[in-house]
Every structure is written in C-alpha cells, then in structure tokens.
mmCIF file with all atom_site columns, all heavy atoms in Angstrom:
data_model
loop_
_atom_site.group_PDB
_atom_site.id
_atom_site.type_symbol
_atom_site.label_atom_id
_atom_site.label_alt_id
_atom_site.label_comp_id
_atom_site.label_asym_id
_atom_site.label_entity_id
_atom_site.label_seq_id
_atom_site.pdbx_PDB_ins_code
_atom_site.Cartn_x
_atom_site.Cartn_y
_atom_site.Cartn_z
_atom_site.occupancy
_atom_site.B_iso_or_equiv
_atom_site.pdbx_formal_charge
_atom_site.auth_seq_id
_atom_site.auth_comp_id
_atom_site.auth_asym_id
_atom_site.auth_atom_id
_atom_site.pdbx_PDB_model_num
ATOM 1   N N   . HIS A 1 1  ? -2.864 14.212  -12.689 1.00 0.00 ? 12 HIS A N   1
ATOM 2   C CA  . HIS A 1 1  ? -3.616 13.033  -12.263 1.00 0.00 ? 12 HIS A CA  1
ATOM 3   C C   . HIS A 1 1  ? -2.732 11.802  -12.110 1.00 0.00 ? 12 HIS A C   1
ATOM 4   O O   . HIS A 1 1  ? -2.921 10.996  -11.200 1.00 0.00 ? 12 HIS A O   1
ATOM 5   C CB  . HIS A 1 1  ? -4.776 12.742  -13.231 1.00 0.00 ? 12 HIS A CB  1
ATOM 6   C CG  . HIS A 1 1  ? -4.367 12.085  -14.498 1.00 0.00 ? 12 HIS A CG  1
ATOM 7   N ND1 . HIS A 1 1  ? -3.931 12.796  -15.616 1.00 0.00 ? 12 HIS A ND1 1
ATOM 8   C CD2 . HIS A 1 1  ? -4.311 10.774  -14.856 1.00 0.00 ? 12 HIS A CD2 1
ATOM 9   C CE1 . HIS A 1 1  ? -3.643 11.952  -16.591 1.00 0.00 ? 12 HIS A CE1 1
ATOM 10  N NE2 . HIS A 1 1  ? -3.864 10.726  -16.158 1.00 0.00 ? 12 HIS A NE2 1
ATOM 11  N N   . ILE A 1 2  ? -1.735 11.660  -12.982 1.00 0.00 ? 13 ILE A N   1
ATOM 12  C CA  . ILE A 1 2  ? -0.896 10.458  -12.913 1.00 0.00 ? 13 ILE A CA  1
ATOM 13  C C   . ILE A 1 2  ? 0.136  10.573  -11.790 1.00 0.00 ? 13 ILE A C   1
ATOM 14  O O   . ILE A 1 2  ? 0.524  9.558   -11.190 1.00 0.00 ? 13 ILE A O   1
ATOM 15  C CB  . ILE A 1 2  ? -0.219 10.157  -14.275 1.00 0.00 ? 13 ILE A CB  1
ATOM 16  C CG1 . ILE A 1 2  ? 0.272  8.709   -14.325 1.00 0.00 ? 13 ILE A CG1 1
ATOM 17  C CG2 . ILE A 1 2  ? 0.905  11.125  -14.578 1.00 0.00 ? 13 ILE A CG2 1
ATOM 18  C CD1 . ILE A 1 2  ? -0.818 7.673   -14.243 1.00 0.00 ? 13 ILE A CD1 1
ATOM 19  N N   . VAL A 1 3  ? 0.549  11.783  -11.461 1.00 0.00 ? 14 VAL A N   1
ATOM 20  C CA  . VAL A 1 3  ? 1.451  11.971  -10.311 1.00 0.00 ? 14 VAL A CA  1
ATOM 21  C C   . VAL A 1 3  ? 0.715  11.643  -9.018  1.00 0.00 ? 14 VAL A C   1
ATOM 22  O O   . VAL A 1 3  ? 1.247  10.933  -8.139  1.00 0.00 ? 14 VAL A O   1
ATOM 23  C CB  . VAL A 1 3  ? 2.005  13.411  -10.277 1.00 0.00 ? 14 VAL A CB  1
ATOM 24  C CG1 . VAL A 1 3  ? 2.852  13.618  -9.016  1.00 0.00 ? 14 VAL A CG1 1
ATOM 25  C CG2 . VAL A 1 3  ? 2.843  13.692  -11.520 1.00 0.00 ? 14 VAL A CG2 1
ATOM 26  N N   . ILE A 1 4  ? -0.524 12.113  -8.896  1.00 0.00 ? 15 ILE A N   1
ATOM 27  C CA  . ILE A 1 4  ? -1.318 11.823  -7.701  1.00 0.00 ? 15 ILE A CA  1
ATOM 28  C C   . ILE A 1 4  ? -1.608 10.329  -7.603  1.00 0.00 ? 15 ILE A C   1
ATOM 29  O O   . ILE A 1 4  ? -1.506 9.730   -6.525  1.00 0.00 ? 15 ILE A O   1
ATOM 30  C CB  . ILE A 1 4  ? -2.624 12.638  -7.702  1.00 0.00 ? 15 ILE A CB  1
ATOM 31  C CG1 . ILE A 1 4  ? -2.308 14.123  -7.566  1.00 0.00 ? 15 ILE A CG1 1
ATOM 32  C CG2 . ILE A 1 4  ? -3.552 12.178  -6.571  1.00 0.00 ? 15 ILE A CG2 1
ATOM 33  C CD1 . ILE A 1 4  ? -3.514 15.032  -7.736  1.00 0.00 ? 15 ILE A CD1 1
ATOM 34  N N   . ALA A 1 5  ? -1.958 9.708   -8.716  1.00 0.00 ? 16 ALA A N   1
ATOM 35  C CA  . ALA A 1 5  ? -2.200 8.263   -8.718  1.00 0.00 ? 16 ALA A CA  1
ATOM 36  C C   . ALA A 1 5  ? -0.954 7.512   -8.280  1.00 0.00 ? 16 ALA A C   1
ATOM 37  O O   . ALA A 1 5  ? -1.030 6.537   -7.521  1.00 0.00 ? 16 ALA A O   1
ATOM 38  C CB  . ALA A 1 5  ? -2.634 7.799   -10.113 1.00 0.00 ? 16 ALA A CB  1
ATOM 39  N N   . SER A 1 6  ? 0.199  7.960   -8.721  1.00 0.00 ? 17 SER A N   1
ATOM 40  C CA  . SER A 1 6  ? 1.462  7.315   -8.357  1.00 0.00 ? 17 SER A CA  1
ATOM 41  C C   . SER A 1 6  ? 1.751  7.476   -6.868  1.00 0.00 ? 17 SER A C   1
ATOM 42  O O   . SER A 1 6  ? 2.251  6.546   -6.215  1.00 0.00 ? 17 SER A O   1
ATOM 43  C CB  . SER A 1 6  ? 2.607  7.896   -9.186  1.00 0.00 ? 17 SER A CB  1
ATOM 44  O OG  . SER A 1 6  ? 2.408  7.649   -10.569 1.00 0.00 ? 17 SER A OG  1
ATOM 45  N N   . LEU A 1 7  ? 1.432  8.638   -6.341  1.00 0.00 ? 18 LEU A N   1
ATOM 46  C CA  . LEU A 1 7  ? 1.651  8.885   -4.920  1.00 0.00 ? 18 LEU A CA  1
ATOM 47  C C   . LEU A 1 7  ? 0.746  8.001   -4.043  1.00 0.00 ? 18 LEU A C   1
ATOM 48  O O   . LEU A 1 7  ? 1.180  7.484   -3.015  1.00 0.00 ? 18 LEU A O   1
ATOM 49  C CB  . LEU A 1 7  ? 1.379  10.352  -4.602  1.00 0.00 ? 18 LEU A CB  1
ATOM 50  C CG  . LEU A 1 7  ? 1.567  10.782  -3.151  1.00 0.00 ? 18 LEU A CG  1
ATOM 51  C CD1 . LEU A 1 7  ? 3.041  10.714  -2.756  1.00 0.00 ? 18 LEU A CD1 1
ATOM 52  C CD2 . LEU A 1 7  ? 1.021  12.192  -2.936  1.00 0.00 ? 18 LEU A CD2 1
ATOM 53  N N   . LEU A 1 8  ? -0.488 7.797   -4.488  1.00 0.00 ? 19 LEU A N   1
ATOM 54  C CA  . LEU A 1 8  ? -1.496 7.120   -3.658  1.00 0.00 ? 19 LEU A CA  1
ATOM 55  C C   . LEU A 1 8  ? -1.762 5.671   -4.067  1.00 0.00 ? 19 LEU A C   1
ATOM 56  O O   . LEU A 1 8  ? -2.635 5.026   -3.482  1.00 0.00 ? 19 LEU A O   1
ATOM 57  C CB  . LEU A 1 8  ? -2.815 7.906   -3.724  1.00 0.00 ? 19 LEU A CB  1
ATOM 58  C CG  . LEU A 1 8  ? -2.760 9.373   -3.281  1.00 0.00 ? 19 LEU A CG  1
ATOM 59  C CD1 . LEU A 1 8  ? -4.133 10.010  -3.429  1.00 0.00 ? 19 LEU A CD1 1
ATOM 60  C CD2 . LEU A 1 8  ? -2.259 9.504   -1.851  1.00 0.00 ? 19 LEU A CD2 1
ATOM 61  N N   . HIS A 1 9  ? -0.996 5.149   -5.002  1.00 0.00 ? 20 HIS A N   1
ATOM 62  C CA  . HIS A 1 9  ? -1.344 3.851   -5.599  1.00 0.00 ? 20 HIS A CA  1
ATOM 63  C C   . HIS A 1 9  ? -1.375 2.706   -4.588  1.00 0.00 ? 20 HIS A C   1
ATOM 64  O O   . HIS A 1 9  ? -2.113 1.739   -4.757  1.00 0.00 ? 20 HIS A O   1
ATOM 65  C CB  . HIS A 1 9  ? -0.391 3.505   -6.744  1.00 0.00 ? 20 HIS A CB  1
ATOM 66  C CG  . HIS A 1 9  ? 0.975  3.068   -6.316  1.00 0.00 ? 20 HIS A CG  1
ATOM 67  N ND1 . HIS A 1 9  ? 1.941  3.956   -5.898  1.00 0.00 ? 20 HIS A ND1 1
ATOM 68  C CD2 . HIS A 1 9  ? 1.533  1.831   -6.240  1.00 0.00 ? 20 HIS A CD2 1
ATOM 69  C CE1 . HIS A 1 9  ? 3.028  3.292   -5.583  1.00 0.00 ? 20 HIS A CE1 1
ATOM 70  N NE2 . HIS A 1 9  ? 2.823  1.998   -5.777  1.00 0.00 ? 20 HIS A NE2 1
ATOM 71  N N   . ASP A 1 10 ? -0.592 2.798   -3.519  1.00 0.00 ? 21 ASP A N   1
ATOM 72  C CA  . ASP A 1 10 ? -0.537 1.707   -2.540  1.00 0.00 ? 21 ASP A CA  1
ATOM 73  C C   . ASP A 1 10 ? -1.193 2.056   -1.212  1.00 0.00 ? 21 ASP A C   1
ATOM 74  O O   . ASP A 1 10 ? -0.963 1.373   -0.201  1.00 0.00 ? 21 ASP A O   1
ATOM 75  C CB  . ASP A 1 10 ? 0.920  1.281   -2.287  1.00 0.00 ? 21 ASP A CB  1
ATOM 76  C CG  . ASP A 1 10 ? 1.384  0.198   -3.254  1.00 0.00 ? 21 ASP A CG  1
ATOM 77  O OD1 . ASP A 1 10 ? 0.543  -0.353  -3.991  1.00 0.00 ? 21 ASP A OD1 1
ATOM 78  O OD2 . ASP A 1 10 ? 2.599  -0.102  -3.273  1.00 0.00 ? 21 ASP A OD2 1
ATOM 79  N N   . ILE A 1 11 ? -2.048 3.059   -1.207  1.00 0.00 ? 22 ILE A N   1
ATOM 80  C CA  . ILE A 1 11 ? -2.696 3.423   0.047   1.00 0.00 ? 22 ILE A CA  1
ATOM 81  C C   . ILE A 1 11 ? -3.588 2.296   0.562   1.00 0.00 ? 22 ILE A C   1
ATOM 82  O O   . ILE A 1 11 ? -3.875 2.206   1.754   1.00 0.00 ? 22 ILE A O   1
ATOM 83  C CB  . ILE A 1 11 ? -3.493 4.738   -0.100  1.00 0.00 ? 22 ILE A CB  1
ATOM 84  C CG1 . ILE A 1 11 ? -3.812 5.318   1.277   1.00 0.00 ? 22 ILE A CG1 1
ATOM 85  C CG2 . ILE A 1 11 ? -4.751 4.534   -0.940  1.00 0.00 ? 22 ILE A CG2 1
ATOM 86  C CD1 . ILE A 1 11 ? -4.417 6.716   1.238   1.00 0.00 ? 22 ILE A CD1 1
ATOM 87  N N   . GLY A 1 12 ? -3.990 1.409   -0.331  1.00 0.00 ? 23 GLY A N   1
ATOM 88  C CA  . GLY A 1 12 ? -4.763 0.239   0.095   1.00 0.00 ? 23 GLY A CA  1
ATOM 89  C C   . GLY A 1 12 ? -4.014 -0.611  1.104   1.00 0.00 ? 23 GLY A C   1
ATOM 90  O O   . GLY A 1 12 ? -4.618 -1.151  2.038   1.00 0.00 ? 23 GLY A O   1
ATOM 91  N N   . HIS A 1 13 ? -2.701 -0.738  0.924   1.00 0.00 ? 24 HIS A N   1
ATOM 92  C CA  . HIS A 1 13 ? -1.881 -1.478  1.896   1.00 0.00 ? 24 HIS A CA  1
ATOM 93  C C   . HIS A 1 13 ? -1.989 -0.828  3.280   1.00 0.00 ? 24 HIS A C   1
ATOM 94  O O   . HIS A 1 13 ? -2.087 -1.519  4.301   1.00 0.00 ? 24 HIS A O   1
ATOM 95  C CB  . HIS A 1 13 ? -0.413 -1.477  1.483   1.00 0.00 ? 24 HIS A CB  1
ATOM 96  C CG  . HIS A 1 13 ? -0.078 -2.398  0.356   1.00 0.00 ? 24 HIS A CG  1
ATOM 97  N ND1 . HIS A 1 13 ? -0.524 -3.690  0.274   1.00 0.00 ? 24 HIS A ND1 1
ATOM 98  C CD2 . HIS A 1 13 ? 0.710  -2.201  -0.746  1.00 0.00 ? 24 HIS A CD2 1
ATOM 99  C CE1 . HIS A 1 13 ? -0.048 -4.258  -0.817  1.00 0.00 ? 24 HIS A CE1 1
ATOM 100 N NE2 . HIS A 1 13 ? 0.700  -3.381  -1.456  1.00 0.00 ? 24 HIS A NE2 1
ATOM 101 N N   . LEU A 1 14 ? -1.962 0.509   3.304   1.00 0.00 ? 25 LEU A N   1
ATOM 102 C CA  . LEU A 1 14 ? -1.998 1.223   4.579   1.00 0.00 ? 25 LEU A CA  1
ATOM 103 C C   . LEU A 1 14 ? -3.367 1.115   5.245   1.00 0.00 ? 25 LEU A C   1
ATOM 104 O O   . LEU A 1 14 ? -3.461 0.998   6.464   1.00 0.00 ? 25 LEU A O   1
ATOM 105 C CB  . LEU A 1 14 ? -1.644 2.701   4.364   1.00 0.00 ? 25 LEU A CB  1
ATOM 106 C CG  . LEU A 1 14 ? -0.337 3.008   3.631   1.00 0.00 ? 25 LEU A CG  1
ATOM 107 C CD1 . LEU A 1 14 ? -0.086 4.506   3.613   1.00 0.00 ? 25 LEU A CD1 1
ATOM 108 C CD2 . LEU A 1 14 ? 0.841  2.280   4.258   1.00 0.00 ? 25 LEU A CD2 1
ATOM 109 N N   . LEU A 1 15 ? -4.398 1.158   4.426   1.00 0.00 ? 26 LEU A N   1
ATOM 110 C CA  . LEU A 1 15 ? -5.758 1.114   4.968   1.00 0.00 ? 26 LEU A CA  1
ATOM 111 C C   . LEU A 1 15 ? -6.078 -0.209  5.656   1.00 0.00 ? 26 LEU A C   1
ATOM 112 O O   . LEU A 1 15 ? -6.881 -0.252  6.589   1.00 0.00 ? 26 LEU A O   1
ATOM 113 C CB  . LEU A 1 15 ? -6.773 1.376   3.847   1.00 0.00 ? 26 LEU A CB  1
ATOM 114 C CG  . LEU A 1 15 ? -6.808 2.811   3.302   1.00 0.00 ? 26 LEU A CG  1
ATOM 115 C CD1 . LEU A 1 15 ? -7.608 2.860   2.006   1.00 0.00 ? 26 LEU A CD1 1
ATOM 116 C CD2 . LEU A 1 15 ? -7.402 3.772   4.327   1.00 0.00 ? 26 LEU A CD2 1
ATOM 117 N N   . ILE A 1 16 ? -5.455 -1.283  5.196   1.00 0.00 ? 27 ILE A N   1
ATOM 118 C CA  . ILE A 1 16 ? -5.731 -2.595  5.796   1.00 0.00 ? 27 ILE A CA  1
ATOM 119 C C   . ILE A 1 16 ? -4.530 -3.114  6.592   1.00 0.00 ? 27 ILE A C   1
ATOM 120 O O   . ILE A 1 16 ? -4.463 -4.301  6.922   1.00 0.00 ? 27 ILE A O   1
ATOM 121 C CB  . ILE A 1 16 ? -6.155 -3.617  4.728   1.00 0.00 ? 27 ILE A CB  1
ATOM 122 C CG1 . ILE A 1 16 ? -5.082 -3.769  3.633   1.00 0.00 ? 27 ILE A CG1 1
ATOM 123 C CG2 . ILE A 1 16 ? -7.495 -3.231  4.123   1.00 0.00 ? 27 ILE A CG2 1
ATOM 124 C CD1 . ILE A 1 16 ? -5.411 -4.845  2.610   1.00 0.00 ? 27 ILE A CD1 1
ATOM 125 N N   . ASP A 1 17 ? -3.590 -2.197  6.877   1.00 0.00 ? 28 ASP A N   1
ATOM 126 C CA  . ASP A 1 17 ? -2.421 -2.542  7.696   1.00 0.00 ? 28 ASP A CA  1
ATOM 127 C C   . ASP A 1 17 ? -1.670 -3.739  7.122   1.00 0.00 ? 28 ASP A C   1
ATOM 128 O O   . ASP A 1 17 ? -1.289 -4.669  7.831   1.00 0.00 ? 28 ASP A O   1
ATOM 129 C CB  . ASP A 1 17 ? -2.860 -2.830  9.140   1.00 0.00 ? 28 ASP A CB  1
ATOM 130 C CG  . ASP A 1 17 ? -1.685 -2.826  10.111  1.00 0.00 ? 28 ASP A CG  1
ATOM 131 O OD1 . ASP A 1 17 ? -0.681 -2.150  9.824   1.00 0.00 ? 28 ASP A OD1 1
ATOM 132 O OD2 . ASP A 1 17 ? -1.764 -3.517  11.142  1.00 0.00 ? 28 ASP A OD2 1
ATOM 133 N N   . GLU A 1 18 ? -1.441 -3.683  5.826   1.00 0.00 ? 29 GLU A N   1
ATOM 134 C CA  . GLU A 1 18 ? -0.744 -4.759  5.112   1.00 0.00 ? 29 GLU A CA  1
ATOM 135 C C   . GLU A 1 18 ? 0.692  -4.311  4.858   1.00 0.00 ? 29 GLU A C   1
ATOM 136 O O   . GLU A 1 18 ? 0.937  -3.387  4.086   1.00 0.00 ? 29 GLU A O   1
ATOM 137 C CB  . GLU A 1 18 ? -1.462 -5.050  3.792   1.00 0.00 ? 29 GLU A CB  1
ATOM 138 C CG  . GLU A 1 18 ? -0.950 -6.266  3.054   1.00 0.00 ? 29 GLU A CG  1
ATOM 139 C CD  . GLU A 1 18 ? -1.670 -6.495  1.735   1.00 0.00 ? 29 GLU A CD  1
ATOM 140 O OE1 . GLU A 1 18 ? -2.213 -5.528  1.162   1.00 0.00 ? 29 GLU A OE1 1
ATOM 141 O OE2 . GLU A 1 18 ? -1.656 -7.647  1.268   1.00 0.00 ? 29 GLU A OE2 1
ATOM 142 N N   . ASN A 1 19 ? 1.659  -4.967  5.505   1.00 0.00 ? 30 ASN A N   1
ATOM 143 C CA  . ASN A 1 19 ? 3.043  -4.536  5.385   1.00 0.00 ? 30 ASN A CA  1
ATOM 144 C C   . ASN A 1 19 ? 3.995  -5.695  5.662   1.00 0.00 ? 30 ASN A C   1
ATOM 145 O O   . ASN A 1 19 ? 3.575  -6.797  6.018   1.00 0.00 ? 30 ASN A O   1
ATOM 146 C CB  . ASN A 1 19 ? 3.328  -3.365  6.337   1.00 0.00 ? 30 ASN A CB  1
ATOM 147 C CG  . ASN A 1 19 ? 3.011  -3.695  7.782   1.00 0.00 ? 30 ASN A CG  1
ATOM 148 O OD1 . ASN A 1 19 ? 3.723  -4.465  8.422   1.00 0.00 ? 30 ASN A OD1 1
ATOM 149 N ND2 . ASN A 1 19 ? 1.915  -3.132  8.300   1.00 0.00 ? 30 ASN A ND2 1
ATOM 150 N N   . ASP A 1 20 ? 5.280  -5.419  5.523   1.00 0.00 ? 31 ASP A N   1
ATOM 151 C CA  . ASP A 1 20 ? 6.304  -6.461  5.583   1.00 0.00 ? 31 ASP A CA  1
ATOM 152 C C   . ASP A 1 20 ? 6.457  -7.081  6.970   1.00 0.00 ? 31 ASP A C   1
ATOM 153 O O   . ASP A 1 20 ? 7.061  -8.142  7.113   1.00 0.00 ? 31 ASP A O   1
ATOM 154 C CB  . ASP A 1 20 ? 7.653  -5.869  5.126   1.00 0.00 ? 31 ASP A CB  1
ATOM 155 C CG  . ASP A 1 20 ? 8.702  -6.928  4.865   1.00 0.00 ? 31 ASP A CG  1
ATOM 156 O OD1 . ASP A 1 20 ? 8.376  -7.911  4.188   1.00 0.00 ? 31 ASP A OD1 1
ATOM 157 O OD2 . ASP A 1 20 ? 9.833  -6.776  5.354   1.00 0.00 ? 31 ASP A OD2 1
ATOM 158 N N   . SER A 1 21 ? 5.900  -6.445  7.995   1.00 0.00 ? 32 SER A N   1
ATOM 159 C CA  . SER A 1 21 ? 6.000  -7.011  9.345   1.00 0.00 ? 32 SER A CA  1
ATOM 160 C C   . SER A 1 21 ? 5.040  -8.178  9.551   1.00 0.00 ? 32 SER A C   1
ATOM 161 O O   . SER A 1 21 ? 5.177  -8.935  10.508  1.00 0.00 ? 32 SER A O   1
ATOM 162 C CB  . SER A 1 21 ? 5.719  -5.934  10.402  1.00 0.00 ? 32 SER A CB  1
ATOM 163 O OG  . SER A 1 21 ? 4.351  -5.554  10.391  1.00 0.00 ? 32 SER A OG  1
ATOM 164 N N   . LYS A 1 22 ? 4.071  -8.284  8.646   1.00 0.00 ? 33 LYS A N   1
ATOM 165 C CA  . LYS A 1 22 ? 3.093  -9.368  8.751   1.00 0.00 ? 33 LYS A CA  1
ATOM 166 C C   . LYS A 1 22 ? 3.636  -10.637 8.099   1.00 0.00 ? 33 LYS A C   1
ATOM 167 O O   . LYS A 1 22 ? 4.208  -10.589 7.006   1.00 0.00 ? 33 LYS A O   1
ATOM 168 C CB  . LYS A 1 22 ? 1.779  -8.976  8.056   1.00 0.00 ? 33 LYS A CB  1
ATOM 169 C CG  . LYS A 1 22 ? 1.240  -7.603  8.449   1.00 0.00 ? 33 LYS A CG  1
ATOM 170 C CD  . LYS A 1 22 ? 0.793  -7.566  9.890   1.00 0.00 ? 33 LYS A CD  1
ATOM 171 C CE  . LYS A 1 22 ? 0.184  -6.212  10.227  1.00 0.00 ? 33 LYS A CE  1
ATOM 172 N NZ  . LYS A 1 22 ? -0.289 -6.118  11.604  1.00 0.00 ? 33 LYS A NZ  1
ATOM 173 N N   . ASN A 1 23 ? 3.449  -11.756 8.754   1.00 0.00 ? 34 ASN A N   1
ATOM 174 C CA  . ASN A 1 23 ? 3.972  -13.016 8.231   1.00 0.00 ? 34 ASN A CA  1
ATOM 175 C C   . ASN A 1 23 ? 3.362  -13.407 6.892   1.00 0.00 ? 34 ASN A C   1
ATOM 176 O O   . ASN A 1 23 ? 3.982  -14.098 6.091   1.00 0.00 ? 34 ASN A O   1
ATOM 177 C CB  . ASN A 1 23 ? 3.740  -14.148 9.242   1.00 0.00 ? 34 ASN A CB  1
ATOM 178 C CG  . ASN A 1 23 ? 4.592  -13.983 10.493  1.00 0.00 ? 34 ASN A CG  1
ATOM 179 O OD1 . ASN A 1 23 ? 5.686  -13.415 10.431  1.00 0.00 ? 34 ASN A OD1 1
ATOM 180 N ND2 . ASN A 1 23 ? 4.087  -14.465 11.622  1.00 0.00 ? 34 ASN A ND2 1
ATOM 181 N N   . ASP A 1 24 ? 2.123  -12.942 6.654   1.00 0.00 ? 35 ASP A N   1
ATOM 182 C CA  . ASP A 1 24 ? 1.442  -13.323 5.421   1.00 0.00 ? 35 ASP A CA  1
ATOM 183 C C   . ASP A 1 24 ? 1.473  -12.224 4.368   1.00 0.00 ? 35 ASP A C   1
ATOM 184 O O   . ASP A 1 24 ? 0.756  -12.289 3.371   1.00 0.00 ? 35 ASP A O   1
ATOM 185 C CB  . ASP A 1 24 ? -0.012 -13.710 5.710   1.00 0.00 ? 35 ASP A CB  1
ATOM 186 C CG  . ASP A 1 24 ? -0.809 -12.558 6.319   1.00 0.00 ? 35 ASP A CG  1
ATOM 187 O OD1 . ASP A 1 24 ? -0.191 -11.540 6.686   1.00 0.00 ? 35 ASP A OD1 1
ATOM 188 O OD2 . ASP A 1 24 ? -2.052 -12.699 6.424   1.00 0.00 ? 35 ASP A OD2 1
ATOM 189 N N   . PHE A 1 25 ? 2.313  -11.195 4.549   1.00 0.00 ? 36 PHE A N   1
ATOM 190 C CA  . PHE A 1 25 ? 2.373  -10.089 3.595   1.00 0.00 ? 36 PHE A CA  1
ATOM 191 C C   . PHE A 1 25 ? 2.775  -10.596 2.219   1.00 0.00 ? 36 PHE A C   1
ATOM 192 O O   . PHE A 1 25 ? 3.799  -11.258 2.052   1.00 0.00 ? 36 PHE A O   1
ATOM 193 C CB  . PHE A 1 25 ? 3.366  -9.029  4.076   1.00 0.00 ? 36 PHE A CB  1
ATOM 194 C CG  . PHE A 1 25 ? 3.450  -7.813  3.180   1.00 0.00 ? 36 PHE A CG  1
ATOM 195 C CD1 . PHE A 1 25 ? 2.309  -7.153  2.784   1.00 0.00 ? 36 PHE A CD1 1
ATOM 196 C CD2 . PHE A 1 25 ? 4.684  -7.341  2.754   1.00 0.00 ? 36 PHE A CD2 1
ATOM 197 C CE1 . PHE A 1 25 ? 2.378  -6.021  1.967   1.00 0.00 ? 36 PHE A CE1 1
ATOM 198 C CE2 . PHE A 1 25 ? 4.769  -6.221  1.935   1.00 0.00 ? 36 PHE A CE2 1
ATOM 199 C CZ  . PHE A 1 25 ? 3.615  -5.560  1.551   1.00 0.00 ? 36 PHE A CZ  1
ATOM 200 N N   . LEU A 1 26 ? 1.936  -10.279 1.217   1.00 0.00 ? 37 LEU A N   1
ATOM 201 C CA  . LEU A 1 26 ? 2.124  -10.670 -0.179  1.00 0.00 ? 37 LEU A CA  1
ATOM 202 C C   . LEU A 1 26 ? 2.068  -12.187 -0.378  1.00 0.00 ? 37 LEU A C   1
ATOM 203 O O   . LEU A 1 26 ? 2.454  -12.683 -1.435  1.00 0.00 ? 37 LEU A O   1
ATOM 204 C CB  . LEU A 1 26 ? 3.438  -10.110 -0.742  1.00 0.00 ? 37 LEU A CB  1
ATOM 205 C CG  . LEU A 1 26 ? 3.587  -8.579  -0.697  1.00 0.00 ? 37 LEU A CG  1
ATOM 206 C CD1 . LEU A 1 26 ? 4.922  -8.163  -1.300  1.00 0.00 ? 37 LEU A CD1 1
ATOM 207 C CD2 . LEU A 1 26 ? 2.439  -7.877  -1.419  1.00 0.00 ? 37 LEU A CD2 1
#
C-alpha cells in the first residue's frame, strides 16, 4: 500500500495539468 501511495502521490498534479511549465506552478 505504501509503495502504491508513493507511486501515485502526485497524480493530482497531472489531473489538473499542474507542472513547471506553468507560470503559477507552486
């Protein structure tokens, strides 16, 4: 369970297209 959680922990960034190419990222 913790390996899967670690693999998927940032999928929220992908779902909302949140990444370093965006000027307002983070």
Side-chain angles (χ1 to χ4, degrees):
H12 78 274
I13 198 64
V14 176
I15 294 172
S17 298
L18 180 68
L19 302 179
H20 75 282
D21 271 350
I22 197 172
H24 285 315
L25 307 185
L26 290 167
I27 57 176
D28 195 26
E29 188 181 24
N30 56 72
D31 193 47
S32 70
K33 311 293 183 179
N34 291 331
D35 61 350
F36 183 50
L37 302 181

